[in-house]
Amino acid sequence: MNDAVLYEVRDNIAWLTINRPTARNSLNKAVREGLFAGVRRFNEDDRAAVLVLTGAGNKAFCAGGDLKEMAAEQLAIPPIDFVPQFGRNIEVSKPTIAAVNGAAMAGGFLLAQTCDLCIASTTATFAISEVKVGRGSPWAAPLPLMIPRRVAMEIVLTGAPMTAARAHEIGFVNQLAEPTELHARAQALAQQVAANAPLSVLAGKRTMALTAELPLGEAYEHAEKIWAPVYSSEDAQEGMLSFAERRAPKWQGK
């Protein structure tokens, strides 16, 4: 970890904060390395059930790549591990939430897209702006699975910014929050997830990815295999017993 990216655990929720507000939290080398290190730390952190990714300040979640640094290095095709893409260049089995506090442009849009859930400030904006600077967005390939294809096409071809309200309308954003309430709302959403049976949460996340790569019939077959150990777990028995006894369940993750 480094000062460009901060990691802390609030209760059982890990917060990963891009800490470069004077540069609109753009992705220079220190930020990119800090993000990878922070995600690996979260993966290994038994205290943390959910990760929330956000940016420092209230103007930018992440404005994308640091174009000055990229120009100085004459960057052409970015390496596959240039920016964390969950499930592509780094595995994250636990749930992740983007708390978008301002502009999410280019690589910032990528970071919001790669998280499982997204909650955004009402003042946030989103754009895949690479076409405006002659760069590319191959990472946007999954976007038509998340939002209508023609809307995705418009976003990629125009590079025009989209309001948080529009992002919520098309289903890219799960929830909107007033700027002063964003962190509290993100924490509450994360704790709502974390309160559930951990094995069921992990299996649910894996199941939601199946139809992106498999025909529906095969997806059902894989889902049955994913959920079989969950049904057979001690937590499954505890969930039913706690309901019958009218008490809160005590999850063990086994």
Side-chain angles (χ1 to χ4, degrees):
M1 299 297 297
N2 55 53
D3 291 341
V5 178
L6 307 177
Y7 181 95
E8 66 171 318
V9 177
R10 306 174 190 172
D11 293 328
N12 57 342
I13 310 303
W15 280 76
L16 194 60
T17 304
I18 303 174
N19 187 37
R20 204 176 174 225
T22 56
R24 294 172 59 82
N25 294 320
S26 58
L27 297 164
N28 68 351
K29 183 178 180 180
V31 169
R32 299 195 309 271
E33 290 179 348
L35 286 172
F36 274 107
V39 173
R40 292 188 185 103
R41 183 171 174 180
F42 167 64
N43 283 341
E44 298 170 358
D45 194 343
D46 292 336
R47 301 173 301 163
V50 179
L51 175 72
V52 178
L53 175 63
T54 194
N58 56 17
K59 294 183 178 179
F61 170 70
C62 172
D66 187 321
L67 294 180
K68 292 182 179 179
E69 182 182 83
M70 292 162 65
E73 296 178 356
Q74 296 183 319
L75 180 68
I77 300 175
I80 189 65
D81 59 352
F82 191 68
V83 179
Q85 297 179 60
F86 305 156
R88 187 183 184 202
N89 58 21
I90 187 167
E91 292 300 322
V92 186
S93 62
K94 294 182 284 187
T96 58
I97 300 173
V100 181
N101 52 301
M105 307 294 181
F109 193 109
L110 178 161
L111 293 175
Q113 175 185 286
T114 201
C115 290
D116 300 312
L117 300 172
C118 181
I119 182 168
S121 164
T122 53
T123 58
T125 53
F126 298 83
I128 299 179
S129 52
E130 279 81 351
V131 291
K132 294 185 176 294
V133 293
R135 301 293 297 174
S137 53
W139 48 263
L143 192 57
L145 300 174
M146 304 175 70
I147 64 175
R149 180 178 179 276
R150 285 193 170 178
V151 177
M153 188 74 78
E154 179 182 355
I155 293 170
V156 171
L157 297 187
T158 67
M162 175 175 57
T163 65
R166 175 60 173 159
H168 181 257
E169 178 186 350
I170 64 175
F172 187 77
V173 168
N174 296 91
Q175 297 182 20
L176 296 175
E178 293 301 320
T180 57
E181 299 175 356
L182 178 65
H183 279 212
R185 289 279 299 279
Q187 180 78 10
L189 177 60
Q191 289 181 321
Q192 185 178 8
V193 174
N196 293 321
L199 296 180
S200 294
V201 169
L202 297 181
K205 173 172 173 169
R206 290 178 62 193
T207 302
M208 291 301 98
L210 291 176
T211 52
E213 297 184 1
L214 299 172
L216 184 57
E218 291 183 38
Y220 273 127
E221 292 178 7
H222 280 262
E224 292 289 349
K225 294 176 182 177
I226 289 171
W227 285 96
V230 178
Y231 284 125
S232 302
S233 68
E234 293 180 23
D235 277 355
Q237 296 301 315
E238 166 63 11
M240 295 184 291
L241 183 61
S242 64
F243 178 82
E245 295 178 349
R246 298 184 179 182
R247 60 173 175 80
K250 299 177 182 178
W251 307 124
Q252 300 182 66
K254 61 180 182 178

Short mmCIF file of all heavy atoms in Angstrom, two decimals, residues 2-7 16-26 28 30-31 35 53-57 60-61:
data_model
loop_
_atom_site.label_atom_id
_atom_site.label_comp_id
_atom_site.label_asym_id
_atom_site.label_seq_id
_atom_site.Cartn_x
_atom_site.Cartn_y
_atom_site.Cartn_z
N ASN A 2 0.28 2.38 -0.44
CA ASN A 2 0.97 3.66 -0.41
C ASN A 2 -0.05 4.76 -0.14
O ASN A 2 -1.25 4.50 -0.05
CB ASN A 2 1.70 3.90 -1.74
CG ASN A 2 0.77 3.78 -2.95
OD1 ASN A 2 -0.27 4.42 -3.00
ND2 ASN A 2 1.14 2.95 -3.92
N ASP A 3 0.44 6.00 0.02
CA ASP A 3 -0.46 7.09 0.37
C ASP A 3 -1.44 7.45 -0.75
O ASP A 3 -2.42 8.16 -0.50
CB ASP A 3 0.37 8.34 0.72
CG ASP A 3 1.13 8.16 2.03
OD1 ASP A 3 0.74 7.27 2.81
OD2 ASP A 3 2.11 8.90 2.26
N ALA A 4 -1.19 6.97 -1.97
CA ALA A 4 -2.08 7.28 -3.09
C ALA A 4 -3.38 6.50 -3.01
O ALA A 4 -4.38 6.89 -3.62
CB ALA A 4 -1.38 6.99 -4.42
N VAL A 5 -3.38 5.41 -2.26
CA VAL A 5 -4.58 4.60 -2.05
C VAL A 5 -4.63 4.19 -0.59
O VAL A 5 -3.66 3.65 -0.06
CB VAL A 5 -4.60 3.35 -2.95
CG1 VAL A 5 -5.84 2.51 -2.67
CG2 VAL A 5 -4.56 3.73 -4.43
N LEU A 6 -5.75 4.46 0.07
CA LEU A 6 -5.88 4.19 1.50
C LEU A 6 -6.78 2.98 1.72
O LEU A 6 -7.76 2.78 1.00
CB LEU A 6 -6.48 5.41 2.21
CG LEU A 6 -5.77 6.74 1.96
CD1 LEU A 6 -6.51 7.87 2.67
CD2 LEU A 6 -4.32 6.68 2.40
N TYR A 7 -6.45 2.19 2.74
CA TYR A 7 -7.23 1.00 3.10
C TYR A 7 -7.58 1.07 4.57
O TYR A 7 -6.72 1.27 5.42
CB TYR A 7 -6.41 -0.26 2.81
CG TYR A 7 -7.14 -1.57 3.11
CD1 TYR A 7 -7.81 -2.25 2.11
CD2 TYR A 7 -7.13 -2.13 4.39
CE1 TYR A 7 -8.47 -3.45 2.37
CE2 TYR A 7 -7.79 -3.32 4.66
CZ TYR A 7 -8.45 -3.98 3.65
OH TYR A 7 -9.10 -5.16 3.90
N LEU A 16 -11.57 1.14 0.31
CA LEU A 16 -10.39 1.40 -0.51
C LEU A 16 -10.60 2.74 -1.19
O LEU A 16 -11.51 2.89 -2.02
CB LEU A 16 -10.21 0.28 -1.53
CG LEU A 16 -8.86 0.18 -2.25
CD1 LEU A 16 -7.72 -0.06 -1.26
CD2 LEU A 16 -8.91 -0.94 -3.28
N THR A 17 -9.78 3.73 -0.83
CA THR A 17 -9.99 5.11 -1.28
C THR A 17 -8.83 5.59 -2.13
O THR A 17 -7.68 5.60 -1.69
CB THR A 17 -10.16 6.06 -0.08
OG1 THR A 17 -11.23 5.59 0.74
CG2 THR A 17 -10.46 7.47 -0.55
N ILE A 18 -9.13 6.01 -3.35
CA ILE A 18 -8.11 6.63 -4.20
C ILE A 18 -7.86 8.03 -3.64
O ILE A 18 -8.76 8.87 -3.60
CB ILE A 18 -8.57 6.71 -5.66
CG1 ILE A 18 -8.92 5.32 -6.18
CG2 ILE A 18 -7.49 7.35 -6.54
CD1 ILE A 18 -9.54 5.31 -7.57
N ASN A 19 -6.64 8.28 -3.21
CA ASN A 19 -6.34 9.49 -2.43
C ASN A 19 -5.46 10.46 -3.24
O ASN A 19 -4.34 10.76 -2.86
CB ASN A 19 -5.65 9.11 -1.12
CG ASN A 19 -5.46 10.27 -0.20
OD1 ASN A 19 -6.32 11.16 -0.12
ND2 ASN A 19 -4.34 10.29 0.52
N ARG A 20 -6.00 10.93 -4.33
CA ARG A 20 -5.27 11.88 -5.18
C ARG A 20 -6.24 12.97 -5.67
O ARG A 20 -6.37 13.22 -6.87
CB ARG A 20 -4.66 11.14 -6.37
CG ARG A 20 -3.47 11.80 -7.00
CD ARG A 20 -2.86 10.95 -8.11
NE ARG A 20 -1.81 11.69 -8.77
CZ ARG A 20 -1.65 11.77 -10.09
NH1 ARG A 20 -2.47 11.12 -10.90
NH2 ARG A 20 -0.66 12.47 -10.60
N PRO A 21 -6.92 13.63 -4.76
CA PRO A 21 -8.01 14.54 -5.16
C PRO A 21 -7.54 15.74 -5.97
O PRO A 21 -8.30 16.23 -6.82
CB PRO A 21 -8.61 14.98 -3.82
CG PRO A 21 -7.51 14.76 -2.82
CD PRO A 21 -6.78 13.55 -3.29
N THR A 22 -6.30 16.21 -5.76
CA THR A 22 -5.82 17.37 -6.52
C THR A 22 -5.61 17.03 -7.99
O THR A 22 -5.54 17.92 -8.83
CB THR A 22 -4.52 17.90 -5.93
OG1 THR A 22 -3.55 16.85 -5.88
CG2 THR A 22 -4.73 18.45 -4.52
N ALA A 23 -5.52 15.73 -8.30
CA ALA A 23 -5.39 15.28 -9.69
C ALA A 23 -6.64 14.52 -10.11
O ALA A 23 -6.58 13.66 -10.99
CB ALA A 23 -4.15 14.41 -9.86
N ARG A 24 -7.76 14.84 -9.48
CA ARG A 24 -9.05 14.20 -9.78
C ARG A 24 -8.97 12.68 -9.66
O ARG A 24 -9.65 11.96 -10.36
CB ARG A 24 -9.55 14.62 -11.17
CG ARG A 24 -9.91 16.12 -11.24
CD ARG A 24 -10.21 16.58 -12.65
NE ARG A 24 -11.33 15.87 -13.27
CZ ARG A 24 -12.61 16.16 -13.08
NH1 ARG A 24 -12.95 17.14 -12.26
NH2 ARG A 24 -13.56 15.48 -13.70
N ASN A 25 -8.12 12.24 -8.73
CA ASN A 25 -7.97 10.80 -8.44
C ASN A 25 -7.63 9.99 -9.69
O ASN A 25 -8.06 8.84 -9.84
CB ASN A 25 -9.24 10.25 -7.77
CG ASN A 25 -9.46 10.86 -6.39
OD1 ASN A 25 -8.52 11.06 -5.63
ND2 ASN A 25 -10.70 11.17 -6.08
N SER A 26 -6.85 10.61 -10.59
CA SER A 26 -6.48 9.92 -11.82
C SER A 26 -5.49 8.79 -11.55
O SER A 26 -4.80 8.76 -10.52
CB SER A 26 -5.89 10.91 -12.83
OG SER A 26 -4.76 11.57 -12.30
N ASN A 28 -2.42 7.33 -11.89
CA ASN A 28 -0.99 7.27 -12.16
C ASN A 28 -0.45 5.94 -11.64
O ASN A 28 -1.18 5.11 -11.11
CB ASN A 28 -0.26 8.47 -11.56
CG ASN A 28 -0.24 8.46 -10.04
OD1 ASN A 28 -0.91 7.65 -9.40
ND2 ASN A 28 0.53 9.35 -9.47
N ALA A 30 1.36 5.13 -9.08
CA ALA A 30 1.20 4.89 -7.64
C ALA A 30 -0.23 4.47 -7.31
O ALA A 30 -0.45 3.58 -6.46
CB ALA A 30 1.57 6.15 -6.86
N VAL A 31 -1.22 5.09 -7.96
CA VAL A 31 -2.61 4.72 -7.71
C VAL A 31 -2.89 3.31 -8.21
O VAL A 31 -3.50 2.50 -7.51
CB VAL A 31 -3.57 5.73 -8.38
CG1 VAL A 31 -5.01 5.20 -8.36
CG2 VAL A 31 -3.50 7.08 -7.68
N LEU A 35 -4.07 0.26 -5.88
CA LEU A 35 -5.34 -0.44 -6.05
C LEU A 35 -5.15 -1.95 -6.05
O LEU A 35 -5.89 -2.68 -5.38
CB LEU A 35 -6.03 0.01 -7.34
CG LEU A 35 -6.65 1.42 -7.31
CD1 LEU A 35 -7.12 1.82 -8.70
CD2 LEU A 35 -7.81 1.49 -6.31
N LEU A 53 -15.18 0.72 -2.83
CA LEU A 53 -14.17 1.49 -3.55
C LEU A 53 -14.70 2.89 -3.80
O LEU A 53 -15.81 3.07 -4.31
CB LEU A 53 -13.85 0.81 -4.89
CG LEU A 53 -12.90 1.54 -5.84
CD1 LEU A 53 -11.52 1.70 -5.21
CD2 LEU A 53 -12.80 0.79 -7.17
N THR A 54 -13.92 3.91 -3.45
CA THR A 54 -14.35 5.29 -3.64
C THR A 54 -13.15 6.18 -3.90
O THR A 54 -12.01 5.72 -3.97
CB THR A 54 -15.15 5.78 -2.41
OG1 THR A 54 -15.84 6.99 -2.74
CG2 THR A 54 -14.24 6.02 -1.20
N GLY A 55 -13.41 7.48 -4.08
CA GLY A 55 -12.35 8.46 -4.29
C GLY A 55 -12.38 9.52 -3.22
O GLY A 55 -13.43 9.80 -2.64
N ALA A 56 -11.24 10.11 -2.96
CA ALA A 56 -11.17 11.19 -1.96
C ALA A 56 -11.79 12.47 -2.54
O ALA A 56 -11.76 12.71 -3.74
CB ALA A 56 -9.72 11.44 -1.58
N GLY A 57 -12.34 13.28 -1.64
CA GLY A 57 -12.96 14.53 -2.06
C GLY A 57 -14.36 14.32 -2.59
O GLY A 57 -14.94 13.25 -2.45
N ALA A 60 -14.30 14.04 -7.86
CA ALA A 60 -14.01 12.94 -8.77
C ALA A 60 -13.89 11.62 -8.01
O ALA A 60 -13.18 11.54 -7.00
CB ALA A 60 -12.73 13.21 -9.56
N PHE A 61 -14.57 10.62 -8.52
CA PHE A 61 -14.35 9.24 -8.11
C PHE A 61 -13.00 8.81 -8.69
O PHE A 61 -12.10 8.39 -7.98
CB PHE A 61 -15.49 8.39 -8.65
CG PHE A 61 -15.30 6.91 -8.52
CD1 PHE A 61 -15.34 6.29 -7.28
CD2 PHE A 61 -15.12 6.12 -9.65
CE1 PHE A 61 -15.19 4.91 -7.17
CE2 PHE A 61 -14.98 4.75 -9.56
CZ PHE A 61 -15.01 4.14 -8.31
#
